[in-house]
Amino acid sequence: LSRMRARGQLSELRAEDLRFNPIEITRLLNQVFALDLTQEQVIKLESRTEGWIAGLQLAGVSMQGRGDIPQFIDAFSGSHRFIMDYLAEEALSRQSIEIQSYLFKTSILERLNDSLCDFVLGFTSKGQSFEPPNQVLFPVISEEGKIRLAMLENLGLFIVPLDDERIWYRYHHLFSDLLRTRLQGHSPSSIPELHQRASIWFEKHGDIEASINHSLLAEDWDSANRLIDLYLPKYLENGQMTTIFKWLEQFPQEELFKRPKLCVQVAEMYSQAGLIDKIDPFLDKAEEIVTFYGNPEKSDGRSNENNLTVEEIIVIKSMVSILRGLKAVCSGHPQRAMEITQIALETYPEMSLKEQAVLYWVQGWAQRSLGDLNLALKLLIKGTKCANESGAILRDIWTDLGNVTRLVGKLPQAIDILEGSLQTAIDRGVPNQGNLSRDESFLSFLYYEKNQLDQAFTYAKRALTHTQWWPSHNIIATANVSLAQIMLARNDLDGSLIALQKAEDERKNRLMTPFVHNLVEVTWVQIW
């Protein structure tokens, strides 16, 4: 066959050719099965079935005569009775016990390659196999009997290649659902250990996001905490706030509250997301734990059960004060913020450069709110210098330096600062950097003031696009205010009202800096 394929003497029909597209799915379900599905419902079914015609037919049979079709479509999966029966009969029952064992165990993976699957199954270099407990139905596969993913593809076992080299694969969504349902039913106690092994493999191979996801699915909170602690700064620098939120949402609060470093990191995340009203419980708990330790300087330089170093405890204590200062600014008490942060600076003279940079940033915010823009500039320049010397990429400090430079009327210099910040990000080559959205929203205001409305509009739209990875209420509100002003300048009153209402919705009942509230209120006045 390979020779015939190379000579162009072979015509092949594969899954891609056979699967139904949305138009064909609509015809099948709405004409043949006399259903009245919306386009959105059709798209959902296409996503779940991946155009698999038998799956669509079974879905059509299942939906006939039902009154809860929207709910059925939302819940439609490989655990549905007809789908499960079909797949179990057509796909699983014909396979050997060894292949079934392989399929069940590897179904915990979103994507697969041979090395990963071997590790999850427990093959070692000596040919020994790890076997999770309670494997009643799943025999140990010998080293000699290793199953390869290409074999499964050749068997037509609902496996989809993800690259042309046939290295990475995934299971068809419905087939994967069935396998996981069977694994959960027959051997639930094996699942955490399978996820732990997947986490180890992904960490060794540099896919930290997948490693953390599997640690969380294994409910291995210590491992997840270790990985998040190590890599959260990098993900923040890369603007991947949405990813971090997904991790933290899976972390039980009682587990979070055991870990003071993680508590401070969560509080920092909420601050950057415009949810600063949520930070107090995390700061209180972090402070309570490190205070309970008393004097952390012991013979081994370590603290109690969290194994915190003296340096880490200083970071926690200083960040608690800094974030409380930031909340004071947002609450309309900038002078109080100055007092809190100044006390922290004097109390912790050994504070690292990175924390000093954040502290001067908060003080710069406070002075901006107090109306002393020149002092704000000096503090932000100081913060930028500390950040550069620390090696940390603290984009917010650059952004606010650019914004305050704009506020004192130095527009060309402000543009240079903000576009320089964007260029630095581009040079790093990291895609989807959501934290570029602050730079872009302020650049939008600058180009608006230069009456370059198309450029201003482009930056505002880019800022909003980037908030899908950096979902800050502050930034969404700010970018929409800019859009409202641009549209007003274009005599698009309706568009201006829609954009400003979105900004209003973002700031409603939320604790934000007076700067953001003032932007919204002044723009309402302009529209009125």
Side-chain angles (χ1 to χ4, degrees):
L1 287 179
S2 59
R3 188 179 300 113
M4 292 174 71
R5 185 180 292 115
R7 291 174 178 171
Q9 297 172 332
L10 190 67
S11 295
E12 300 180 72
L13 290 175
R14 297 192 174 275
E16 190 60 44
D17 306 293
L18 295 173
R19 63 169 51 104
F20 273 13
N21 63 35
I23 295 172
E24 293 162 336
I25 294 171
T26 302
R27 287 177 185 164
L28 173 70
L29 296 177
N30 287 352
Q31 294 178 22
V32 177
F33 287 96
L35 299 167
D36 186 23
L37 302 185
T38 65
Q39 191 62 30
E40 183 184 356
Q41 291 169 335
V42 167
I43 289 170
K44 282 184 180 179
L45 280 172
E46 181 200 20
S47 174
R48 292 303 297 149
T49 63
E50 301 182 60
W52 175 44
I53 303 168
L56 290 163
Q57 187 173 8
L58 292 169
V61 169
S62 303
M63 284 188 285
Q64 285 186 314
R66 296 184 74 108
D68 60 344
I69 285 178
Q71 292 86 343
F72 172 85
I73 291 173
D74 287 340
F76 185 66
S77 71
S79 61
H80 186 270
R81 179 169 57 87
F82 289 153
I83 296 290
M84 183 178 282
D85 291 347
Y86 183 96
L87 288 171
E89 180 62 31
E90 292 293 320
L92 278 179
S93 63
R94 301 182 184 189
Q95 308 307 322
S96 68
I97 295 296
E98 287 77 17
I99 287 179
Q100 290 186 43
S101 171
Y102 179 98
L103 294 171
F104 291 135
K105 293 173 186 175
T106 57
S107 68
I108 62 127
L109 301 167
E110 294 292 336
R111 52 196 178 95
L112 318 96
N113 69 30
D114 287 325
S115 168
L116 169 60
C117 292
D118 286 348
F119 193 86
V120 169
L121 268 64
F123 291 118
T124 67
S125 57
K126 297 179 181 177
Q128 299 172 330
S129 177
F130 154 82
E131 187 67 15
N134 277 351
Q135 296 294 296
V136 179
L137 293 182
F138 312 146
V140 175
I141 303 170
S142 68
E143 177 78 11
E144 296 73 25
K146 274 185 185 177
I147 293 165
R148 306 286 85 178
L149 292 164
M151 290 169 47
L152 302 184
E153 185 187 8
N154 289 335
L155 290 171
L157 268 177
F158 293 89
I159 187 168
V160 181
L162 296 176
D163 51 55
D164 293 336
E165 292 77 26
R166 294 307 205 260
I167 295 173
W168 285 98
Y169 293 82
R170 68 170 174 82
Y171 292 126
H172 187 290
H173 295 324
L174 295 177
F175 191 51
S176 177
D177 289 341
L178 167 71
L179 296 174
R180 290 173 185 173
T181 300
R182 287 293 183 89
L183 179 65
Q184 181 65 45
H186 294 303
S187 186
S189 61
S190 70
I191 295 173
E193 198 151 5
L194 292 169
H195 279 299
Q196 284 175 323
R197 294 185 69 80
S199 176
I200 293 168
W201 189 94
F202 278 114
E203 184 182 4
K204 285 181 178 177
H205 289 79
D207 191 336
I208 302 306
E209 189 172 338
S211 180
I212 291 173
N213 288 337
H214 281 289
S215 283
L216 292 168
L217 288 167
E219 298 187 356
D220 184 353
W221 310 123
D222 288 337
S223 178
N225 175 64
R226 176 183 62 82
L227 289 165
I228 291 172
D229 180 49
L230 277 173
Y231 292 100
L232 186 142
K234 178 184 174 183
Y235 275 81
L236 273 179
E237 287 177 2
N238 293 343
Q240 299 295 305
M241 185 189 286
T242 303
T243 301
I244 302 168
F245 268 133
K246 287 178 183 175
W247 297 336
L248 297 177
E249 284 166 3
Q250 296 177 66
F251 232 108
Q253 191 174 76
E254 62 271 18
E255 292 293 333
L256 280 174
F257 279 172
K258 293 176 185 176
R259 298 168 168 85
K261 279 184 73 177
L262 193 54
C263 281
V264 169
Q265 289 167 331
V266 171
E268 189 175 355
M269 283 291 302
Y270 280 141
S271 301
Q272 298 204 35
L275 298 168
I276 202 163
D277 51 311
K278 292 188 174 184
I279 71 173
D280 282 340
F282 297 96
L283 298 181
D284 291 344
K285 184 55 69 172
E287 194 169 43
E288 175 190 321
I289 292 172
V290 294
T291 302
F292 175 77
Y293 290 158
N295 181 5
E297 295 187 55
K298 302 188 178 192
S299 58
D300 59 357
R302 308 291 293 185
S303 188
N304 285 341
E305 65 242 43
N306 277 281
N307 288 329
L308 297 171
T309 63
V310 174
E311 291 76 14
E312 286 171 330
I313 289 179
I314 291 169
V315 168
I316 291 168
K317 288 182 174 181
S318 58
M319 281 304 297
V320 166
S321 296
I322 292 166
L323 291 172
R324 285 195 167 132
L326 181 58
K327 185 176 179 183
V329 176
C330 294
S331 304
H333 303 292
Q335 190 57 53
R336 175 65 181 145
M338 289 299 299
E339 293 165 4
I340 293 171
T341 50
Q342 199 58 40
I343 290 170
L345 202 56
E346 294 165 4
T347 306
Y348 310 113
E350 61 274 69
M351 188 189 303
S352 75
L353 284 169
K354 182 179 177 181
E355 278 66 53
Q356 285 182 48
V358 180
L359 184 145
Y360 290 128
W361 171 61
V362 172
Q363 289 191 339
W365 266 35
Q367 290 301 327
R368 184 185 67 184
S369 296
L370 288 166
D372 192 338
L373 295 181
N374 289 322
L375 181 53
L377 267 180
K378 288 178 183 177
L379 289 163
L380 290 168
I381 290 169
K382 202 171 183 179
T384 304
K385 184 180 177 183
C386 289
N388 289 336
E389 289 177 7
S390 75
I393 298 173
L394 301 174
R395 188 168 307 284
D396 284 349
I397 305 177
W398 291 346
T399 306
D400 283 305
L401 178 61
N403 186 40
V404 175
T405 302
R406 173 180 81 89
L407 294 175
V408 298
K410 297 179 179 179
L411 269 62
Q413 294 94 321
I415 289 175
D416 287 345
I417 291 168
L418 294 172
E419 289 190 338
S421 175
L422 290 179
Q423 188 58 49
T424 302
I426 292 167
D427 292 344
R428 295 181 70 222
V430 179
N432 306 331
Q433 294 186 63
N435 55 358
L436 304 185
S437 51
R438 289 190 85 231
D439 289 332
E440 290 161 337
S441 63
F442 288 135
L443 274 167
S444 179
F445 283 106
L446 280 159
Y447 281 104
Y448 166 80
E449 290 188 39
K450 287 166 66 75
N451 200 35
Q452 295 180 13
L453 299 183
D454 290 343
Q455 186 80 325
F457 185 84
T458 298
Y459 273 122
K461 281 293 190 181
R462 272 194 214 164
L464 290 171
T465 298
H466 277 125
T467 57
Q468 64 184 296
W469 298 289
W470 195 266
S472 167
H473 298 290
N474 287 307
I475 298 169
I476 296 170
T478 303
N480 273 301
V481 166
S482 185
L483 280 178
Q485 293 184 357
I486 294 162
M487 290 175 181
L488 194 60
R490 289 174 167 175
N491 294 318
D492 181 0
L493 185 58
D494 290 340
S496 184
L497 281 166
I498 290 168
L500 191 56
Q501 188 57 56
K502 289 178 181 177
E504 182 68 50
D505 292 342
E506 288 298 320
R507 70 148 182 161
K508 191 179 293 180
N509 301 322
R510 288 198 175 95
L511 198 57
M512 291 184 173
T513 58
F515 177 78
V516 176
H517 288 296
N518 292 345
L519 278 177
V520 176
E521 287 160 7
V522 166
T523 309
W524 274 123
V525 173
Q526 291 174 326
I527 287 177
W528 292 332

